[in-house]
PDB file of all heavy atoms in Angstrom:
ATOM      1  N   THR A 429     -12.912  12.562   0.974  1.00  0.00           N
ATOM      2  CA  THR A 429     -13.794  12.189   2.076  1.00  0.00           C
ATOM      3  C   THR A 429     -15.178  11.764   1.597  1.00  0.00           C
ATOM      4  O   THR A 429     -15.692  10.705   1.980  1.00  0.00           O
ATOM      5  CB  THR A 429     -13.920  13.366   3.060  1.00  0.00           C
ATOM      6  OG1 THR A 429     -12.653  13.578   3.689  1.00  0.00           O
ATOM      7  CG2 THR A 429     -14.968  13.076   4.122  1.00  0.00           C
ATOM      8  N   LEU A 430     -15.786  12.560   0.746  1.00  0.00           N
ATOM      9  CA  LEU A 430     -17.154  12.271   0.322  1.00  0.00           C
ATOM     10  C   LEU A 430     -17.247  11.022  -0.545  1.00  0.00           C
ATOM     11  O   LEU A 430     -18.260  10.314  -0.512  1.00  0.00           O
ATOM     12  CB  LEU A 430     -17.725  13.482  -0.420  1.00  0.00           C
ATOM     13  CG  LEU A 430     -17.909  14.748   0.424  1.00  0.00           C
ATOM     14  CD1 LEU A 430     -18.455  15.878  -0.425  1.00  0.00           C
ATOM     15  CD2 LEU A 430     -18.830  14.473   1.619  1.00  0.00           C
ATOM     16  N   LEU A 431     -16.202  10.731  -1.310  1.00  0.00           N
ATOM     17  CA  LEU A 431     -16.223   9.542  -2.155  1.00  0.00           C
ATOM     18  C   LEU A 431     -16.094   8.251  -1.354  1.00  0.00           C
ATOM     19  O   LEU A 431     -16.440   7.171  -1.850  1.00  0.00           O
ATOM     20  CB  LEU A 431     -15.094   9.615  -3.188  1.00  0.00           C
ATOM     21  CG  LEU A 431     -15.359  10.476  -4.422  1.00  0.00           C
ATOM     22  CD1 LEU A 431     -14.105  10.583  -5.277  1.00  0.00           C
ATOM     23  CD2 LEU A 431     -16.508   9.899  -5.242  1.00  0.00           C
ATOM     24  N   SER A 432     -15.611   8.331  -0.128  1.00  0.00           N
ATOM     25  CA  SER A 432     -15.392   7.118   0.673  1.00  0.00           C
ATOM     26  C   SER A 432     -16.690   6.385   0.972  1.00  0.00           C
ATOM     27  O   SER A 432     -16.703   5.155   1.080  1.00  0.00           O
ATOM     28  CB  SER A 432     -14.689   7.478   1.993  1.00  0.00           C
ATOM     29  OG  SER A 432     -13.433   8.070   1.751  1.00  0.00           O
ATOM     30  N   TYR A 433     -17.792   7.089   1.103  1.00  0.00           N
ATOM     31  CA  TYR A 433     -19.053   6.474   1.515  1.00  0.00           C
ATOM     32  C   TYR A 433     -19.698   5.622   0.422  1.00  0.00           C
ATOM     33  O   TYR A 433     -20.049   4.453   0.674  1.00  0.00           O
ATOM     34  CB  TYR A 433     -20.005   7.559   2.028  1.00  0.00           C
ATOM     35  CG  TYR A 433     -19.530   8.161   3.328  1.00  0.00           C
ATOM     36  CD1 TYR A 433     -18.686   9.268   3.341  1.00  0.00           C
ATOM     37  CD2 TYR A 433     -19.902   7.607   4.547  1.00  0.00           C
ATOM     38  CE1 TYR A 433     -18.239   9.812   4.539  1.00  0.00           C
ATOM     39  CE2 TYR A 433     -19.458   8.135   5.751  1.00  0.00           C
ATOM     40  CZ  TYR A 433     -18.621   9.244   5.737  1.00  0.00           C
ATOM     41  OH  TYR A 433     -18.160   9.767   6.919  1.00  0.00           O
ATOM     42  N   PRO A 434     -19.889   6.129  -0.803  1.00  0.00           N
ATOM     43  CA  PRO A 434     -20.451   5.239  -1.839  1.00  0.00           C
ATOM     44  C   PRO A 434     -19.528   4.087  -2.212  1.00  0.00           C
ATOM     45  O   PRO A 434     -20.014   3.002  -2.565  1.00  0.00           O
ATOM     46  CB  PRO A 434     -20.667   6.190  -3.033  1.00  0.00           C
ATOM     47  CG  PRO A 434     -19.780   7.352  -2.788  1.00  0.00           C
ATOM     48  CD  PRO A 434     -19.720   7.507  -1.303  1.00  0.00           C
ATOM     49  N   ILE A 435     -18.209   4.296  -2.122  1.00  0.00           N
ATOM     50  CA  ILE A 435     -17.270   3.203  -2.416  1.00  0.00           C
ATOM     51  C   ILE A 435     -17.444   2.064  -1.411  1.00  0.00           C
ATOM     52  O   ILE A 435     -17.464   0.882  -1.774  1.00  0.00           O
ATOM     53  CB  ILE A 435     -15.824   3.725  -2.413  1.00  0.00           C
ATOM     54  CG1 ILE A 435     -15.606   4.732  -3.541  1.00  0.00           C
ATOM     55  CG2 ILE A 435     -14.845   2.566  -2.535  1.00  0.00           C
ATOM     56  CD1 ILE A 435     -15.812   4.183  -4.925  1.00  0.00           C
ATOM     57  N   LEU A 436     -17.581   2.411  -0.124  1.00  0.00           N
ATOM     58  CA  LEU A 436     -17.806   1.393   0.901  1.00  0.00           C
ATOM     59  C   LEU A 436     -19.097   0.623   0.632  1.00  0.00           C
ATOM     60  O   LEU A 436     -19.130  -0.609   0.753  1.00  0.00           O
ATOM     61  CB  LEU A 436     -17.857   2.035   2.283  1.00  0.00           C
ATOM     62  CG  LEU A 436     -18.322   1.117   3.422  1.00  0.00           C
ATOM     63  CD1 LEU A 436     -17.387  -0.075   3.581  1.00  0.00           C
ATOM     64  CD2 LEU A 436     -18.446   1.897   4.725  1.00  0.00           C
ATOM     65  N   ALA A 437     -20.155   1.324   0.276  1.00  0.00           N
ATOM     66  CA  ALA A 437     -21.438   0.660   0.018  1.00  0.00           C
ATOM     67  C   ALA A 437     -21.304  -0.360  -1.113  1.00  0.00           C
ATOM     68  O   ALA A 437     -21.806  -1.486  -1.007  1.00  0.00           O
ATOM     69  CB  ALA A 437     -22.504   1.713  -0.323  1.00  0.00           C
ATOM     70  N   TYR A 438     -20.606   0.014  -2.173  1.00  0.00           N
ATOM     71  CA  TYR A 438     -20.441  -0.915  -3.298  1.00  0.00           C
ATOM     72  C   TYR A 438     -19.644  -2.156  -2.894  1.00  0.00           C
ATOM     73  O   TYR A 438     -20.019  -3.289  -3.205  1.00  0.00           O
ATOM     74  CB  TYR A 438     -19.752  -0.208  -4.458  1.00  0.00           C
ATOM     75  CG  TYR A 438     -19.411  -1.150  -5.591  1.00  0.00           C
ATOM     76  CD1 TYR A 438     -20.379  -1.529  -6.517  1.00  0.00           C
ATOM     77  CD2 TYR A 438     -18.138  -1.702  -5.700  1.00  0.00           C
ATOM     78  CE1 TYR A 438     -20.080  -2.418  -7.535  1.00  0.00           C
ATOM     79  CE2 TYR A 438     -17.831  -2.598  -6.715  1.00  0.00           C
ATOM     80  CZ  TYR A 438     -18.801  -2.957  -7.627  1.00  0.00           C
ATOM     81  OH  TYR A 438     -18.505  -3.838  -8.622  1.00  0.00           O
ATOM     82  N   ILE A 439     -18.524  -1.960  -2.190  1.00  0.00           N
ATOM     83  CA  ILE A 439     -17.661  -3.084  -1.816  1.00  0.00           C
ATOM     84  C   ILE A 439     -18.387  -4.048  -0.877  1.00  0.00           C
ATOM     85  O   ILE A 439     -18.274  -5.273  -1.011  1.00  0.00           O
ATOM     86  CB  ILE A 439     -16.367  -2.559  -1.163  1.00  0.00           C
ATOM     87  CG1 ILE A 439     -15.538  -1.778  -2.188  1.00  0.00           C
ATOM     88  CG2 ILE A 439     -15.538  -3.704  -0.592  1.00  0.00           C
ATOM     89  CD1 ILE A 439     -14.320  -1.113  -1.606  1.00  0.00           C
ATOM     90  N   ALA A 440     -19.152  -3.501   0.078  1.00  0.00           N
ATOM     91  CA  ALA A 440     -19.872  -4.355   1.027  1.00  0.00           C
ATOM     92  C   ALA A 440     -20.953  -5.171   0.328  1.00  0.00           C
ATOM     93  O   ALA A 440     -21.106  -6.372   0.577  1.00  0.00           O
ATOM     94  CB  ALA A 440     -20.479  -3.485   2.130  1.00  0.00           C
ATOM     95  N   ILE A 441     -21.714  -4.544  -0.545  1.00  0.00           N
ATOM     96  CA  ILE A 441     -22.770  -5.258  -1.266  1.00  0.00           C
ATOM     97  C   ILE A 441     -22.167  -6.343  -2.160  1.00  0.00           C
ATOM     98  O   ILE A 441     -22.699  -7.458  -2.265  1.00  0.00           O
ATOM     99  CB  ILE A 441     -23.602  -4.265  -2.103  1.00  0.00           C
ATOM    100  CG1 ILE A 441     -24.390  -3.338  -1.174  1.00  0.00           C
ATOM    101  CG2 ILE A 441     -24.546  -5.001  -3.047  1.00  0.00           C
ATOM    102  CD1 ILE A 441     -25.088  -2.203  -1.888  1.00  0.00           C
ATOM    103  N   ALA A 442     -21.029  -6.027  -2.807  1.00  0.00           N
ATOM    104  CA  ALA A 442     -20.390  -7.006  -3.681  1.00  0.00           C
ATOM    105  C   ALA A 442     -19.908  -8.225  -2.910  1.00  0.00           C
ATOM    106  O   ALA A 442     -19.931  -9.349  -3.424  1.00  0.00           O
ATOM    107  CB  ALA A 442     -19.226  -6.357  -4.424  1.00  0.00           C
ATOM    108  N   PHE A 443     -19.466  -8.042  -1.649  1.00  0.00           N
ATOM    109  CA  PHE A 443     -18.953  -9.184  -0.882  1.00  0.00           C
ATOM    110  C   PHE A 443     -20.081 -10.031  -0.291  1.00  0.00           C
ATOM    111  O   PHE A 443     -20.111 -11.245  -0.485  1.00  0.00           O
ATOM    112  CB  PHE A 443     -18.039  -8.699   0.239  1.00  0.00           C
ATOM    113  CG  PHE A 443     -17.514  -9.822   1.105  1.00  0.00           C
ATOM    114  CD1 PHE A 443     -16.532 -10.679   0.627  1.00  0.00           C
ATOM    115  CD2 PHE A 443     -18.027 -10.041   2.371  1.00  0.00           C
ATOM    116  CE1 PHE A 443     -16.059 -11.724   1.404  1.00  0.00           C
ATOM    117  CE2 PHE A 443     -17.561 -11.084   3.159  1.00  0.00           C
ATOM    118  CZ  PHE A 443     -16.577 -11.928   2.674  1.00  0.00           C
ATOM    119  N   TRP A 444     -20.987  -9.409   0.428  1.00  0.00           N
ATOM    120  CA  TRP A 444     -22.024 -10.191   1.099  1.00  0.00           C
ATOM    121  C   TRP A 444     -23.169 -10.567   0.174  1.00  0.00           C
ATOM    122  O   TRP A 444     -23.881 -11.534   0.434  1.00  0.00           O
ATOM    123  CB  TRP A 444     -22.557  -9.424   2.312  1.00  0.00           C
ATOM    124  CG  TRP A 444     -21.716  -9.649   3.527  1.00  0.00           C
ATOM    125  CD1 TRP A 444     -21.601 -10.799   4.237  1.00  0.00           C
ATOM    126  CD2 TRP A 444     -20.846  -8.707   4.159  1.00  0.00           C
ATOM    127  NE1 TRP A 444     -20.718 -10.648   5.287  1.00  0.00           N
ATOM    128  CE2 TRP A 444     -20.249  -9.364   5.268  1.00  0.00           C
ATOM    129  CE3 TRP A 444     -20.520  -7.382   3.927  1.00  0.00           C
ATOM    130  CZ2 TRP A 444     -19.346  -8.727   6.109  1.00  0.00           C
ATOM    131  CZ3 TRP A 444     -19.629  -6.748   4.762  1.00  0.00           C
ATOM    132  CH2 TRP A 444     -19.043  -7.416   5.838  1.00  0.00           C
ATOM    133  N   GLY A 445     -23.344  -9.844  -0.920  1.00  0.00           N
ATOM    134  CA  GLY A 445     -24.438 -10.163  -1.818  1.00  0.00           C
ATOM    135  C   GLY A 445     -24.019 -10.892  -3.071  1.00  0.00           C
ATOM    136  O   GLY A 445     -24.840 -11.483  -3.760  1.00  0.00           O
ATOM    137  N   GLY A 446     -22.686 -10.876  -3.371  1.00  0.00           N
ATOM    138  CA  GLY A 446     -22.211 -11.491  -4.603  1.00  0.00           C
ATOM    139  C   GLY A 446     -21.921 -12.962  -4.448  1.00  0.00           C
ATOM    140  O   GLY A 446     -21.916 -13.521  -3.343  1.00  0.00           O
ATOM    141  N   GLN A 447     -21.656 -13.599  -5.573  1.00  0.00           N
ATOM    142  CA  GLN A 447     -21.311 -15.019  -5.595  1.00  0.00           C
ATOM    143  C   GLN A 447     -19.803 -15.184  -5.646  1.00  0.00           C
ATOM    144  O   GLN A 447     -19.095 -14.398  -6.272  1.00  0.00           O
ATOM    145  CB  GLN A 447     -21.928 -15.692  -6.821  1.00  0.00           C
ATOM    146  CG  GLN A 447     -23.444 -15.689  -6.809  1.00  0.00           C
ATOM    147  CD  GLN A 447     -24.015 -16.505  -5.664  1.00  0.00           C
ATOM    148  OE1 GLN A 447     -23.510 -17.577  -5.339  1.00  0.00           O
ATOM    149  NE2 GLN A 447     -25.071 -15.990  -5.047  1.00  0.00           N
ATOM    150  N   ARG A 448     -19.331 -16.214  -5.002  1.00  0.00           N
ATOM    151  CA  ARG A 448     -17.905 -16.512  -5.021  1.00  0.00           C
ATOM    152  C   ARG A 448     -17.473 -16.915  -6.416  1.00  0.00           C
ATOM    153  O   ARG A 448     -18.193 -17.619  -7.118  1.00  0.00           O
ATOM    154  CB  ARG A 448     -17.611 -17.639  -4.032  1.00  0.00           C
ATOM    155  CG  ARG A 448     -16.126 -17.872  -3.823  1.00  0.00           C
ATOM    156  CD  ARG A 448     -15.912 -19.122  -2.943  1.00  0.00           C
ATOM    157  NE  ARG A 448     -14.522 -19.267  -2.646  1.00  0.00           N
ATOM    158  CZ  ARG A 448     -13.624 -19.740  -3.474  1.00  0.00           C
ATOM    159  NH1 ARG A 448     -13.983 -20.070  -4.690  1.00  0.00           N
ATOM    160  NH2 ARG A 448     -12.354 -19.857  -3.122  1.00  0.00           N
ATOM    161  N   ARG A 449     -16.267 -16.471  -6.840  1.00  0.00           N
ATOM    162  CA  ARG A 449     -15.796 -16.790  -8.185  1.00  0.00           C
ATOM    163  C   ARG A 449     -15.501 -18.275  -8.328  1.00  0.00           C
ATOM    164  O   ARG A 449     -15.091 -18.952  -7.401  1.00  0.00           O
ATOM    165  CB  ARG A 449     -14.567 -15.919  -8.520  1.00  0.00           C
ATOM    166  CG  ARG A 449     -13.294 -16.326  -7.758  1.00  0.00           C
ATOM    167  CD  ARG A 449     -12.431 -17.152  -8.659  1.00  0.00           C
ATOM    168  NE  ARG A 449     -11.173 -17.487  -8.035  1.00  0.00           N
ATOM    169  CZ  ARG A 449     -10.971 -18.568  -7.311  1.00  0.00           C
ATOM    170  NH1 ARG A 449     -11.965 -19.381  -7.061  1.00  0.00           N
ATOM    171  NH2 ARG A 449      -9.774 -18.819  -6.814  1.00  0.00           N
TER     172      ARG A 449
END
Side-chain angles (χ1 to χ4, degrees):
T429 293
L430 295 179
L431 280 174
S432 299
Y433 292 90
I435 295 298
L436 170 61
Y438 174 81
I439 294 174
I441 293 172
F443 178 74
W444 275 291
Q447 296 296 320
R448 189 186 185 282
R449 72 100 176 90

